[in-house]
Structures are given as structure tokens and as C-alpha cells.
Amino acid sequence: MTNESPRTLSDVCEFIVDCLHKTAPTRDEGYPSIRTPNVGRGRLLLDGVNRVSEETYQEWTRRGVPRADDLILAREAPAGNVAIVRNGQIVCLGQRTVHLRPDQTQVDPSFLCYYLLAPPQQGALLAGETGVTAGHVNMRDIRRLRVDGLPELHRQQRVGAILSAYDDLIENNRRRIALLERAARELYREWFVRLRFPGHEHTKIVDGVPEGWERLSFEECLVTHIGGGWGKDEPLGDETTSAYVIRGTDLAPVRRGEFSKVGLRFHKDSSLKNRLLRPGDIIFEVSGGSATQPVGRSILIGEELICVFGSSVMCASFCKKLVPESRVLGVYLHQHLEFIRQSGEMQIFQKQSASALQNFNFAAFLQNHLVSRPSESLLKAFADIASSLLKQQVQLAMQNHKLSRARDLLLPRLMSGEVAV
């Protein structure tokens, strides 16, 4: 049995309010400000979230204070994503987001979240009244979205609980991945910033670095690099090759396992051979950043990533493919890049483009950024530990990839009643 009414999303919500259409001033600490990249499929993604002061929080929540079981919908990039506010999450809305409060006498919040993520509702939201799929969701289309034939509340609750269980596992794995990443960063700091590496007590400092270490330009640590604008580095050839393309905005989701072949662009060309990524390569973002998210993100490519796509992978033209001299050096350089990005040392190589996007002066970085290259024995010892941490991260990311695929396959079947609960 289903409820015949209400018929629109507005009817099953206490309110639906738009965000303030201006950019909130940010700070290093404070309340999370939810922008569209922070709205995942079912859960808020708070890694790297912008933060705002108490005063800004009060102003940005004057239309409504998000609380547990409320929903936040992304109107753009990625348009149509919906996440539920969990217990203990105190957030405010950033630009291009919408705040929904479900009427829990009529609809279960978790069920409504997944209902809005199901293909029929996503299609209706993204097409709107125009009938043409667009990258923007209008407030009128959100309020008027038809919700005919909702199941009874007790069935909604069961469906919501089933799908929430998948996202709870994904979220738990995401937290574990973050802890492993933090452990690798802390190991790098302990050994190579604080210089408390194994045997440091008996190591002399010579010309500012421990004995046996070298001071090299970043370029001297690489066999080759290619990318950015490709330009003269673009390989020539007649062999037809196709590949999935990873962009800068994909790097964090790829690390968490929250990616799909559909989500990444597919590129077919006859001159991709030298651009294809191999295990041990590093993707380094050099263009497309902003004041709140500077460029310089990176990821170390592992065998598992190549395998999961079942095809070749390359990075987008605004990223660089870096090929280190060795596997162990690659593990070290990736952590080095992450450290100098988070510490702010990369900022001196940032440059503004005509479009207000931030770019990275990679040529200057290659020549002028010096790297302390440890001894081979220390590099190997570090790589052994860091690689073990990375392997655990990848395993959890692959679990998340499988869980999200299973959830997405189950979701429409539960919504349609094909799978009984």
C-alpha cells in the first residue's frame, strides 16, 4: 500500500530554502561551510571543507539552521547530489546548495535522501521543465519535483536503514583512510622534517643536511615529466589508444574509492601512449585551483587503481605525470609534495591566471625547489612502511568502490519495490 498524496517535494518537507548567494569569508578553524564538492551521494564529505567564524555561521544560517536528519542538495557541480546531516554535524550552507527539512510524519529522512538520488528523480531534477539535461538544478524544479506513490512510512524506514548501512561502512572506511594518510604524513615529518629518523643520533650534519643525503632540484629527482598543456611533449604516433582521464578534482575521491568509470571522462586518441600512467607514477595538479583550494594536489599511482578500471588511465591536461627515478623515491616524493602543500611552502609557486583560476609555475618549481634526498637505505626503510600504509588505504578504497557500486545497484530496485523489504 502507498500514500496517494502529497504529490511534490514541497509537500513532504517542512521547508526548502536556498543558500545565500554570496561567498562566505573563510578561516582556518570554525564551522564547516558546505559547498557543492562537500555534498556526496548520501553523506557530507568534510575533508578539506571550508570553515567560517561564529559570526558568519549565524548570518549564513538565518534562513534555517541545519540539524540532524536535514538534507543538503547540490544545485551545481555535482548537480543533484544529496546528503543527510548526521548527528553531531554542525554546518552551514555554502553557495549553490539547498537546505531541506523532511516532514518526518510523512517521510523518513534517509529514505528521502536516497529517493532523490534514484535515477528517475535525478533525471527529473537535472532536466527540469526544459527536458534537456543540464548542470544546474533550479529551485522551482526542486520544490515541484513529483513524489507520487511513496511507500508507507515503516517501509521507507526499512529501505533507508538498508541503504544507510552501506554508507555507514563507506564512511567508516573513509575515516580509516584519513587516519592512514595522517600516519604516513606524520612519519614523513618525524624522519625528514624533525630529522628523528632511525640512527639520527649517530649521523653528522654536513652542509645543513645529514651525512649521506643530497640536496637536489626537484627536476633531478625525476626521470621525466609530461602534461600541463602537453604541448611539445605530446607524443606522436598512429596507434589508437583509449584511456580514462583523472582530473585534479578526482584525486581525493580516487583516494577514498569514491569514483566510477562513468564519473571520469573517457578519452580516445591516437597519441596517448606516453601519457598513460603506470604504477609508481605521480599525478600532480598544476592548473585550475582557486583561492580556497590551491593547486598542487597529488596522488601516487598503485597497481590496484590501474586494475579497477580494466583499462588505461591518464591524467588531464592540467595535471602533470611525474616519473620518479625509482619506486622508493616516488613514495618519498609523494609525501614530500603533500607536506609542502599542506605547510604552505607551495604558495610561492602559485600564479593567478586571467580567469581568476590559480595555476602552478611548474617550470620554476622544477629548477628552484630543492629536495633533501636521503640515503638509499633510509629511502627504502621509509618506503617499506609508507607503502604498507598506502596498501591498506588502497584496500579500503577498493572496498568503498565495491560498496558504492552495490548500493547504487540496489537503490533503484528498492525504490521501485523490485526488491521486497
Side-chain angles (χ1 to χ4, degrees), residues 45 47 174 177 251-258 396-397 400-401:
L45 308 174
D47 294 342
R174 190 186 302 132
I177 289 169
L251 297 184
V254 164
R255 279 202 296 262
R256 295 191 298 259
E258 296 159 4
L396 291 169
N400 276 0
H401 181 61

Side-chain angles (χ1 to χ4, degrees), residues 359-370:
N359 296 325
F360 191 79
N361 192 339
F362 189 71
F365 181 73
L366 283 176
Q367 297 294 324
N368 301 321
H369 179 71
L370 297 180

Side-chain angles (χ1 to χ4, degrees), residues 206-377:
V206 180
D207 295 330
V209 297
E211 190 174 28
W213 294 28
E214 297 178 274
R215 291 282 283 173
L216 304 172
S217 69
F218 194 81
E219 186 170 31
E220 292 177 290
C221 298
L222 303 177
V223 173
T224 187
H225 56 86
I226 181 173
W230 301 111
K232 65 180 182 180
D233 292 330
E234 184 170 357
L236 301 176
D238 298 324
E239 181 182 355
T240 299
T241 311
S242 56
Y244 287 99
V245 181
I246 296 179
R247 302 155 295 184
T249 52
D250 298 319
L251 297 184
V254 164
R255 279 202 296 262
R256 295 191 298 259
E258 296 159 4
F259 60 91
S260 68
K261 295 179 182 180
V262 175
L264 303 183
R265 292 184 297 142
F266 193 74
H267 194 294
K268 188 172 184 179
D269 201 324
S270 62
S271 58
L272 299 179
K273 189 173 182 180
N274 290 349
R275 305 188 203 176
L276 300 180
L277 296 163
R278 298 289 179 261
D281 292 346
I282 297 171
I283 301 178
F284 181 71
E285 180 192 34
V286 293
S287 181
S290 64
T292 56
Q293 182 58 68
V295 292
R297 291 172 290 189
S298 63
I299 187 171
L300 182 66
I301 300 300
E303 292 180 6
E304 295 85 353
L305 177 63
I306 306 297
C307 292
V308 77
F309 282 96
S311 179
S312 299
V313 184
M314 61 176 282
C315 55
S317 59
F318 42 80
C319 293
K320 285 277 188 181
K321 167 188 169 180
L322 311 182
V323 183
E325 286 185 5
S326 65
R327 180 190 67 84
V328 294
L329 183 59
V331 175
Y332 171 78
L333 289 179
H334 174 242
Q335 289 300 325
H336 175 79
L337 289 170
E338 285 291 287
F339 171 76
I340 63 174
R341 182 179 68 86
Q342 294 191 13
S343 67
E345 292 181 45
M346 275 190 184
Q347 291 291 350
I348 62 173
F349 297 102
Q350 303 281 343
K351 58 181 181 180
Q352 203 78 13
S353 70
S355 64
L357 292 176
Q358 286 199 348
N359 296 325
F360 191 79
N361 192 339
F362 189 71
F365 181 73
L366 283 176
Q367 297 294 324
N368 301 321
H369 179 71
L370 297 180
V371 179
S372 296
R373 177 173 176 164
S375 65
E376 286 301 312
S377 60

Side-chain angles (χ1 to χ4, degrees), residues 122-144:
Q122 285 287 293
L125 282 171
L126 297 179
E129 294 186 352
T130 65
V132 179
T133 300
H136 177 84
V137 181
N138 293 318
M139 286 298 299
R140 181 174 60 181
D141 295 329
I142 295 170
R143 293 192 174 102
R144 292 182 177 182

Side-chain angles (χ1 to χ4, degrees), residues 41-86:
R41 293 180 59 81
R43 295 289 184 269
L44 295 175
L45 308 174
L46 300 183
D47 294 342
V49 68
N50 283 354
R51 295 188 177 273
V52 299
S53 66
E54 172 75 29
E55 180 182 2
T56 301
Y57 173 80
Q58 294 297 335
E59 181 181 358
W60 258 253
T61 57
R62 66 175 185 261
R63 296 182 181 181
V65 179
R67 68 188 189 193
D69 291 333
D70 286 355
L71 307 183
I72 298 179
L73 183 148
R75 292 182 61 189
E76 293 181 14
N81 268 9
V82 188
I84 191 166
V85 179
R86 307 283 286 173

